Structures are given as C-alpha cells and as structure tokens.
Amino acid sequence: LEFGINPAPLTSNIPEKKRKNITMMKIAGLVLALASSAAAFAPTSQKSSSALSMAKLDDMAGSTMPLKTFDPLGLATLGSDETLAWFRAAELKHSRVAMLATTGYLVQAAGIHFPGMLSKDVSFESLSTMKPFDAWDAVPDAGKQQIIGLIFLAEIISEANGTHYTKGGDLPTVIFPPIDFSTVDDATMKIKRDRELNNGRLAMIAIMSFSAAANIPGSVPALAGNPMF
C-alpha cells in the first residue's frame, strides 16, 4: 500500500470456496499456535542456554548418525532451557503431523477409501478419485470444522497434561490412541524416540515436497507427471 500497489487483484481470481478454506485454515493455525505457545509466556527462570555443551545436545533424542547434532543456525542456544524444550516439543508435534499427512496423501493417491458416505452428498469413493488437495476442498465445511475441532482438543489435552514440558515435565504424548510405554526399558525407549524423530523429519520433507508438487508444477522433478500432483 505504501508503494501504491492495490492488493485486490491478488485474491480476485481465487474462487469464493477456496478463499473460505484459506481463511478457515489461517484461523485454525492461529488458534493452535496460541494454544501451544501459551505456557511459553508464563514466568520462568531465565537460565541462559548459551553455555549448553554439544555433549548435552548429543544426548537428546533424535541425535543420531550421520549428522548427530545438526544445528547450523545455533537455534539450540537461543533463550533458556525452557526455549529448547519448546523447540523439541514443536519438532515432535510437527513430525507426528507430517507422518500422518504423508501417509494420508499416499493412501488417498492410491485410491484407498472408507466405505459409505462422508456426508449425505459426498461419498468416500468419490473423494478417492480426486487429488488429495481437491478432496479436501470437496469435504463439507461442517466436516472440516469437526476435524479442526478435534485437532484443537488434542492440542489442549496434550498441553494441559501434568507438568508442562517447559517446566521439566514429559514431552507431548500421543492422545489417541493412547499408548502405554511404561513397560519399555530405557534403552529401547531411546531407540523408539530416535526413530520417531528421524522418520518425522523425513516426513516433513516429504509432505513439503508433495505440497510444492501439487501447487507448483515441475517444482519436484521426481513427482513431475504424476496424476496425483
């Protein structure tokens, strides 16, 4: 606006339904971001983490060969130990979401679907014939609201469960289905945590690639020409 540019044409060609979807996702993202970061603004001890040793980072879950501690921007030394715990929780949550998203995209692309109807007007079979992002657009608004509402509820539960992870509590756990790891020994648990984070990091790269290929033709050469992108 300061340069005399009218932003209206940027959105004038976007269909009304897609504009509504974009607005809904922005609102959902804002709500979830506020929910997950609320505890970060509570009074905490400001113990500096600038003195964190590489040995301490190497002991964290997910620090595995061949890269071990890969932190070229030095993010682990920003703020306090509470900040580092928040970063790790954020990575863990994004990893889990990315694994679900990547699996869901592949299942949808393979044409696998539930039987019956999603709503009175939309069948699961009809959605299975569409590209994944087109299928999301075809889901009724009420269905999208239910999905986002469940995600919001899971986020609230994970953030309010016991002592918060920025205060020394456990990192967020899977809400549904609940999984009991109390009988797993520490060595096996470390392996499982390493695998979860490493698989999640790969899944984040995968879903970013899928999104790029679906929205910018040719941006991912390996996926160019695939009918589901």
Side-chain angles (χ1 to χ4, degrees):
L1 293 176
E2 293 179 359
F3 296 94
I5 299 175
N6 184 359
L10 296 176
T11 58
S12 60
N13 295 326
I14 301 177
E16 178 64 24
K17 183 175 181 180
K18 183 159 288 189
R19 281 204 299 269
K20 288 174 62 180
N21 290 341
I22 293 173
T23 301
M24 182 184 299
M25 295 307 294
K26 285 181 177 178
I27 293 173
L30 176 61
V31 171
L32 293 177
L34 290 173
S36 62
S37 61
F41 296 93
T44 60
S45 61
Q46 296 299 314
K47 185 176 75 173
S48 173
S49 61
S50 59
L52 282 174
S53 66
M54 295 301 290
K56 179 176 180 179
L57 295 179
D58 284 344
D59 289 337
M60 294 182 70
S63 179
T64 57
M65 295 300 291
L67 296 179
K68 292 294 286 183
T69 301
F70 180 74
D71 186 21
L73 299 180
L75 298 179
T77 61
L78 294 178
S80 62
D81 285 351
E82 288 85 355
T83 307
L84 182 60
W86 190 90
F87 283 158
R88 169 41 54 91
E91 181 186 28
L92 188 58
K93 290 183 179 182
H94 281 82
S95 293
R96 291 167 178 167
V97 170
M99 286 188 281
L100 288 172
T102 301
T103 302
Y105 202 110
L106 294 175
V107 169
Q108 168 72 16
I112 301 172
H113 61 84
F114 289 111
M117 303 291 290
L118 175 65
S119 69
K120 63 180 181 180
D121 301 319
V122 181
S123 68
F124 286 109
E125 184 176 4
S126 67
L127 293 177
S128 71
T129 63
M130 305 177 188
K131 295 180 180 180
F133 286 114
D134 293 337
W136 171 255
D137 287 339
V139 173
D141 288 343
K144 293 175 183 174
Q145 292 166 6
Q146 291 175 45
I147 293 171
I148 293 172
L150 286 174
I151 294 172
F152 176 70
L153 180 61
E155 181 74 358
I156 291 295
I157 294 173
S158 68
E159 290 291 317
N161 186 21
T163 303
H164 198 264
Y165 47 82
T166 60
K167 313 295 184 184
D170 294 333
L171 288 168
T173 57
V174 176
I175 300 301
F176 182 83
I179 304 174
D180 182 14
F181 288 110
S182 60
T183 60
V184 180
D185 62 82
D186 291 342
T188 303
M189 197 65 192
K190 183 182 184 308
I191 294 174
K192 290 182 179 294
R193 286 174 174 155
D194 288 340
R195 288 174 177 173
E196 180 183 33
L197 282 164
N198 286 332
N199 289 333
R201 291 162 180 165
L202 182 60
M204 285 189 275
I205 295 173
I207 196 61
M208 285 190 290
S209 300
F210 291 174
S211 298
N215 291 282
I216 309 174
S219 60
V220 184
L223 300 176
N226 190 303
M228 279 298 150
F229 297 95

